[in-house]
Structure formats: structure tokens, C-alpha cells
Amino acid sequence: MNPTQDRYVVIGNPIEHSKSPAIHTQFALQTQQALLYERLLVALDGFDAAIKNLVASGVRGANVTLPFKLDAYHIATDLSPRARAAGAVNTLKFEDNKIIGDNTDGVGLVRDIVVNAGISLQSRRILLLGAGGAARGVILPLLSELPAELVIANRTVQKAQDLLTQFHGHSVALSASSFADLSGEFDVVINATSASLSDGLPNISSSLFNGKSFIYDMMYGAKPTHFMQWAADKKATVRDGLGMLVEQAAESFELWRGVRPDTAPVFALLRSQLTHP
Ligand code: ATR
């Protein structure tokens, strides 16, 4: 290790497949920042001890992935409003005896849709599928785009209703629904369920979108997910979550380093590595 390099880690369990070291190393090269970014596998009951060690050894920050985003939320001494709303933290910055917790997942999603895909969310009718951590993390940034309406639908409707209570008082029409009770057509449908992990499909009707709709799956892989294939067959425009991954990383990088990397070449590199391993 070069002593002048600032150190960062991504913490998770498992962690070996994380693309974060590759992404941040590219960002550092591009912006000429001297930093070292590594993976850290932490035992399921070892998160707090690992953070104390990192702080003591002068590490500057960490990305946090499954299953520790809630632990990171609790260990933070200062929380950004979006981390508070998400109830989870994916970015920690260690500074002046403080542990600053942020959540860049939602803003990463919004940037990927609005900037990279060129789809405005303003005045649109948006359907968010899922009510777990992934869905909760993106609600505030989605509301900030001032859609006409945001409907949160979940297989277990009670979980969607519980989520709503944390976001009252916002000017956007916000509601919870079961899959079966959804009606009308949506401009944008975002799959934040974990169904694609097991090649499953959220059980929604294809009458909820049309050929002009934009369908986003937060998952990504070498091939389009089952959900994306199904929506593309119905002539919708589809996009996977690779861009969200790169954008949330860029947001973390900016929080740590004060410079914003160019995400396009890193996205292109990851895409080619995914499709031609
Ligand atoms: P995460 O943190 O990734 O969001 P989670 O908190 O376990 O993970 O939430 C998983 C989400 O995916 C939930 O909304 C879950 O629906 P339930 O609350 O009804 O369990 C949803 N999910 C998982 N598999 C699904 C499937 N096959 N169809 C529809 N929804 C599914």
C-alpha cells in the first residue's frame, strides 16, 4: 500500500462478487485521486467491531451492502435526510470522530432513469413494486422528482401500507396497493422486489403499462431479467439496474472526494465485462 493513499472498503457478507472495487478504482484513475478501495468480508455478528477497527486504522469511508445496511444506519452518528428516510445506510464517511451515514441508492436510481435513460419523472404516474429495503431506499428521491402519483404495490399489501406512514405530508399523491388492486396505466414501473433473484416475476397485469411505458428492474446480469423480457414482449422500453449501481457509487465517491466522476465509461466497461466475461 502506498502511504499517501486514502483507504476505502466495501463491507458485506458475502462480498467476493462486489463490483464496487472495480468501479471506484476506475473513478479514482479517471479523477486522479490517490485511493485504495478493497473488499471486506465481515462476520454476520461482526459489523460494529469491524467499523471500530476501520476508524482506528485511519480508513476514510465505506460502502455497506447486504446484510449490513441497517447496522450501518444504527452505527452512524450523523444521518443524511435521505438515509433517515431510507432507514438504511450504504455509504459511511469517517471524519472528525463522526461516522456520517448516507444512502445513495435512491439518487443513483433517479439519475440513471432521468439522466442516463433520459426519462423525466416529473408529472408521471409511477408504480414501485416491492416494500422491502430496496423499495424503501428509493421513495424519497422518487418523490423529489415530483411525479403526478407514486403507487407502492407489494405482494404483502400490509408492508406497503406500513411504508406509506413514513412518507406522509408530501405533496405527491402517494398510495399503497396489492398487485391485484392496481388499475390504470403507469408511465414508469420500477421493480424493487427480489423476485428477479430467483428468476421470478411480480404477479402484475400487463394491462398496467403500454408501449410508451418505461420499465426498470433494479437487478442486472448478463442477460435481461425475466421481468424485463416479459415487459419488452409487451413493447415497453426496459432497463436493468447496472446504471443504478454505477450512479450510487459515483454519489458515494463525490461525498468522499468532492469530485464527481464520469459514469458513462465505467458503465460501458462493466456492461462489456458482464456480456463478455
Ligand atoms: P430487499 O432489501 O432486497 O428489498 P426484502 O426486504 O427481503 O429485500 O424484500 C423483498 C421484497 O421482494 C418484498 O417486497 C417481497 O414481497 P413480500 O413483502 O410480499 O415478501 C418481494 N418479493 C420477493 N419475491 C417476490 C415474488 N416472487 N413476487 C413478488 N414479490 C416478491
Side-chain angles (χ1 to χ4, degrees):
M1 192 187 93
N2 174 342
T4 62
Q5 282 179 321
D6 288 337
R7 288 177 57 211
Y8 297 86
V9 295
V10 56
I11 304 174
N13 187 338
I15 200 62
E16 68 268 24
H17 297 300
S18 171
K19 298 192 186 308
S20 293
I23 296 172
H24 284 277
T25 301
Q26 288 298 321
F27 288 167
L29 282 171
Q30 192 195 93
T31 59
Q32 298 178 321
Q33 298 279 308
L35 62 84
L36 184 70
Y37 188 109
E38 298 167 308
R39 293 182 180 86
L40 184 64
L41 176 69
V42 166
L44 294 178
D45 61 353
F47 182 80
D48 287 10
I51 294 295
K52 285 195 183 94
N53 275 337
L54 292 175
V55 171
S57 61
V59 168
R60 304 290 294 271
N63 281 132
V64 181
T65 185
L66 294 178
F68 298 124
K69 291 186 182 185
L70 203 60
D71 301 85
Y73 176 87
H74 288 299
I75 208 167
T77 57
D78 294 65
L79 286 167
S80 68
R82 61 195 185 192
R84 210 177 283 283
V89 158
N90 77 335
T91 308
L92 292 170
K93 183 178 182 183
F94 309 132
E95 187 179 73
D96 305 333
N97 295 323
K98 288 192 292 198
I99 300 177
I100 299 164
D102 196 0
N103 191 314
T104 64
D105 288 329
V107 73
L109 169 76
V110 166
R111 278 190 75 88
D112 193 41
I113 295 176
V114 175
V115 179
N116 299 340
I119 306 287
S120 168
L121 297 175
Q122 195 177 359
S123 306
R124 299 298 182 94
R125 197 160 185 253
I126 304 179
L127 172 60
L128 179 64
L129 302 172
R136 181 173 169 172
V138 301
I139 293 172
L140 192 65
L142 285 174
L143 291 173
S144 303
E145 294 298 300
L146 300 178
E149 187 181 358
L150 176 61
V151 179
I152 304 168
N154 197 43
R155 185 173 59 181
T156 314
V157 65
Q158 185 61 46
K159 274 167 72 179
Q161 282 159 353
D162 292 347
L163 257 191
L164 273 196
T165 58
Q166 296 156 37
F167 293 92
H168 55 76
H170 209 280
S171 57
V172 174
L174 183 61
S175 59
S177 175
S178 65
F179 290 156
D181 288 337
L182 289 167
S183 62
E185 288 184 341
F186 289 88
D187 303 303
V188 176
V189 180
I190 299 165
N191 184 12
T193 73
S194 51
S196 295
L197 279 179
S198 49
D199 214 23
L201 269 185
N203 188 18
I204 62 164
S205 164
S206 61
S207 65
L208 295 169
F209 56 89
N210 58 41
K212 290 193 189 130
S213 301
F214 178 75
I215 311 292
Y216 196 97
D217 197 330
M218 287 194 195
M219 300 290 163
Y220 63 85
K223 290 187 309 188
T225 65
H226 192 177
F227 183 68
M228 289 165 66
Q229 286 167 7
W230 173 76
D233 285 347
K234 313 277 188 262
K235 310 286 180 239
T237 302
V238 298
R239 187 171 175 91
D240 73 5
L242 188 66
M244 174 179 175
L245 175 77
V246 179
E247 293 300 334
Q248 62 78 29
E251 202 73 23
S252 299
F253 192 89
E254 188 174 9
L255 177 79
W256 292 328
R257 310 300 301 179
V259 277
R260 186 157 197 100
D262 181 5
T263 50
V266 180
F267 176 82
L269 180 70
L270 286 187
R271 179 67 78 201
S272 75
Q273 287 171 348
L274 264 182
T275 43
H276 307 103

